[in-house]
């Protein structure tokens, strides 16, 4: 029957959308080819900023050969890979930096970063020997090559802290780099490298604030961004079919109540994050969030005030309930995009969300069409009560 087909289609869509949000991992650096790429025994897809590290470590004379690849945030920007002798952090890092010099030719320089804030980033010799430095660029990707004498205390442990970064512009004449962006990917580009095994021992770990931001993002994207819209699609299209009654109603209530529960948890994490963020205010994102929470709370309580279906005010209640529902739909999706702009979790996540919401939108458009065909047929055959567009079907 059409209705069971519709339910299956909806559930399938939902499952597909959810599975699309699972991360996919395959190593990219292994397929990168460049001059002398056979010199490097190991390669790593670094966890943030779409960066790659190819390297060889000769333990006999503690010589590390590296090739670091990344795209600067603007074409005239800079890329950097650094060793931090003390901690996996920016302060005290000994950096290799590549950018275009005043004549537009790629150049590689070394920079000493001060250990304490405010950080000074000064072109200088490093705390260890660096030689054979070279930089190049190919289709927007910059590369730094260098050989490094790993200091004895680090060579003894076989691991070292690495930090990497990209920026948007350079004062090439003065050799000054502009400050990088402060997105999560810029703040988490650090970790510990195993020189011999060629793997990342720890990715430095996301700082706890970024972790909580990610949790906030997932909770809200799932509830406001997917479950609420899904529940609206259920309510709007399934009730056209008498055989889906009252199942659609329970499915709708189930979706919206779960979405609300998850959404409230996500909302609370957001309010907490906002109150801790003294320096930066994301007023629009915050205000939309508060509006969403208020409207959804009203929707849930309105359920208890719903007049009986033959009551003369039921029509007004329906108009109100649907109106607020659509406002939540639009604001919810809008705020997921606002959140993605703030969190900058990487293009992949934005694409995944766009695909999920587009699939749901596509299914809704298809169901809209089917609904109209069914309604028009029903009207012309007059075999059943016409669809009145305001939930005239029976329901508990
Ligand atoms: C380290 O040893 C390798 C061979 O094992 C050699 O190719 C390289 O030049 C040496 N580097 C230094 C700095 O001695
Ligand atoms: C790097 O800068 C710090 C001060 O910020 C200084 O103490 C240190 O000696 C410098 N290192 C080198 C190798 O110049």
């Amino acid at each position: 029957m059409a209705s069971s087909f519709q339910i299956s289609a909806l559930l399938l869509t939902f499952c597909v959308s959810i599975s699309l949000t699972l991360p996919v991992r395959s190593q990219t650096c292994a397929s990168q080819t460049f001059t002398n790429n056979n010199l490097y025994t190991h390669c790593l897809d670094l966890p943030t900023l779409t960066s790659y590290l190819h390297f060889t470590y000769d333990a006999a004379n503690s010589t590390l050969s590296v090739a670091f690849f990344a795209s600067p945030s603007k074409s005239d920007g800079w890329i950097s890979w650094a060793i931090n002798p003390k901690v996996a952090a920016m302060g005290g890092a000994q950096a290799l930096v590549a950018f275009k010099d005043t004549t537009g030719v790629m150049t590689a320089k070394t920079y000493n970063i001060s250990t304490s804030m405010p950080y000074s980033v000064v072109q200088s010799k490093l705390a260890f020997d660096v030689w054979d430095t070279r930089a190049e660029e190919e289709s927007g990707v910059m590369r730094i090559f260098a050989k490094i004498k790993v200091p004895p205390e680090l060579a003894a442990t076989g691991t070292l802290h690495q930090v990497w970064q990209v920026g948007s512009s350079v004062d090439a004449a003065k050799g000054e780099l502009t400050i990088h962006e402060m997105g999560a990917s810029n703040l988490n580009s650090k970790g510990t490298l195993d020189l011999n095994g060629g793997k990342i021992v720890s990715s430095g770990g996301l700082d706890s604030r970024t972790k909580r931001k990610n949790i906030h993002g997932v909770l809200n994207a799932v509830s406001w961004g997917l479950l609420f819209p899904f529940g609206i699609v259920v309510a709007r299209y399934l009730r056209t079919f008498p055989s889906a009654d009252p199942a659609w109603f329970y499915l709708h209530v189930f979706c919206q109540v779960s979405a609300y529960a998850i959404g409230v948890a996500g909302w609370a994490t957001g309010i907490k994050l906002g109150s801790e963020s003294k320096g930066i205010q994301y007023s629009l994102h915050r205000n939309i969030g508060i509006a969403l929470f208020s409207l959804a709370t009203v929707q849930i309580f309105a359920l208890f005030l719903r007049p009986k279906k033959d009551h003369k005010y039921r029509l007004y209640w329906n108009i109100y309930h649907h109106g607020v529902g659509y406002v939540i739909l639009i604001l919810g999706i809008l705020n997921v995009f606002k959140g993605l702009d703030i969190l900058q979790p990487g293009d992949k996540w934005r694409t995944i969300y766009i695909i999920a919401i587009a699939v749901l939108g596509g299914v809704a458009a298809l169901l809209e069409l089917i609904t109209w065909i069914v309604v028009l047929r029903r009207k012309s055959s007059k075999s059943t009560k016409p669809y009145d567009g305001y939930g005239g079907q029976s329901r508990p």
Side-chain angles (χ1 to χ4, degrees):
M1 297 305 295
S3 60
S4 58
F5 168 75
Q6 278 185 324
I7 293 177
S8 336
L10 277 170
L11 290 179
L12 182 69
T13 309
F14 195 58
C15 295
V16 168
S17 319
I18 292 290
S19 66
L20 276 172
T21 62
L22 297 173
V24 186
R25 195 160 167 81
S26 63
Q27 207 184 25
T28 307
C29 67
S31 61
Q32 285 169 338
T33 52
F34 50 98
T35 322
N36 292 337
N37 64 346
N38 53 352
L39 288 184
Y40 302 96
T41 41
H42 306 293
C43 85
L44 292 172
D45 291 353
L46 297 175
T48 70
L49 298 172
T50 327
S51 310
Y52 308 92
L53 184 74
H54 297 260
F55 72 96
T56 295
Y57 179 60
D58 191 332
N61 53 20
S62 60
T63 300
L64 175 68
S65 304
V66 294
F68 171 74
F69 292 20
S71 304
S73 27
K74 296 228 174 78
S75 63
D76 286 329
W78 53 269
I79 66 164
S80 172
W81 182 83
I83 291 176
N84 192 319
K86 296 273 189 294
V87 286
M90 175 178 172
Q94 303 291 296
L96 301 164
V97 180
F99 55 87
K100 288 176 193 151
D101 67 14
T102 47
T103 61
V105 176
M106 285 299 298
T107 177
K109 301 280 185 213
T110 55
Y111 284 75
N112 178 21
I113 302 174
S114 63
T115 44
S116 52
M117 296 239 245
Y119 296 127
S120 68
V121 181
V122 182
Q123 217 177 84
S124 99
K125 280 190 156 324
L126 300 186
F128 39 77
D129 279 343
V130 180
W131 69 100
D132 287 357
T133 53
R134 184 163 67 80
E136 59 185 41
E137 193 214 0
E138 198 180 291
S139 26
V141 178
M142 289 184 174
R143 300 165 179 168
I144 309 176
F145 299 88
K147 291 202 173 94
I148 293 158
K149 184 81 178 175
V150 177
E153 62 278 15
L154 299 181
T157 64
T159 61
L160 52 78
H161 301 300
Q162 59 170 343
V163 187
W164 61 99
Q165 197 53 262
V166 301
S168 60
S169 71
V170 179
D171 181 338
K174 290 189 191 152
E176 284 171 6
L177 315 173
T178 53
I179 191 163
H180 58 79
E181 285 170 33
M182 294 292 166
S185 46
N186 302 86
L187 298 179
N188 288 299
S189 50
K190 58 195 180 186
T192 302
L193 180 71
D194 174 358
L195 290 170
N196 301 303
K199 57 183 189 295
I200 299 174
V201 180
S202 85
S203 63
L206 296 178
D207 62 276
S208 78
R209 194 171 154 75
T210 301
K211 259 187 215 151
R212 286 187 299 134
K213 280 185 175 177
N214 289 344
I215 292 171
H216 165 78
V218 169
L219 290 176
N220 287 305
V222 167
S223 67
W224 306 101
L226 290 172
L227 262 181
F228 266 117
F230 178 75
I232 290 175
V233 169
V234 167
R236 181 166 170 82
Y237 300 108
L238 290 195
R239 65 141 173 261
T240 317
F241 302 95
S243 55
D245 196 23
W248 74 263
F249 177 73
Y250 291 118
L251 188 56
H252 174 63
V253 170
F254 175 75
C255 279
Q256 306 317 63
V257 169
S258 341
Y260 183 72
I262 301 170
V264 167
W267 182 79
T269 57
I271 292 296
K272 183 92 176 27
L273 284 165
S275 71
E276 291 166 1
S277 168
K278 298 289 176 235
I280 315 170
Q281 294 280 329
Y282 302 106
S283 311
L284 187 59
H285 183 64
R286 181 186 156 88
N287 293 343
I288 295 177
I290 292 172
L292 275 171
F293 170 73
S294 316
L295 290 172
T297 305
V298 168
Q299 280 295 68
I300 296 285
F301 282 102
L303 195 63
F304 302 109
L305 301 176
R306 188 167 50 120
K308 290 254 171 304
K309 81 175 154 54
D310 301 324
H311 196 282
K312 61 178 170 170
Y313 290 140
R314 178 56 177 259
L315 176 65
Y316 302 111
W317 187 89
N318 280 341
I319 293 172
Y320 142 81
H321 182 68
H322 297 170
V324 174
Y326 285 121
V327 171
I328 292 177
L329 174 77
I330 293 163
L331 287 183
I333 293 172
L334 182 71
N335 225 22
V336 169
F337 282 107
K338 286 270 160 231
L340 284 166
D341 286 345
I342 295 167
L343 191 53
Q344 296 184 9
D347 288 345
K348 185 178 77 183
W349 295 99
R350 178 182 293 269
T351 310
I352 287 169
Y353 182 67
I354 290 173
I355 292 173
I357 204 73
V359 168
L360 190 59
V363 169
L366 191 70
L367 292 177
E368 181 77 36
L369 190 72
I370 296 175
T371 304
W372 277 103
I373 294 171
V374 170
V375 169
L376 293 178
R377 278 221 190 114
R378 216 179 266 172
K379 268 192 180 144
S380 63
S381 70
K382 290 192 172 58
S383 59
T384 33
K385 198 171 72 162
Y387 173 67
D388 65 10
Y390 273 109
Q393 312 292 323
S394 65
R395 105 173 66 141

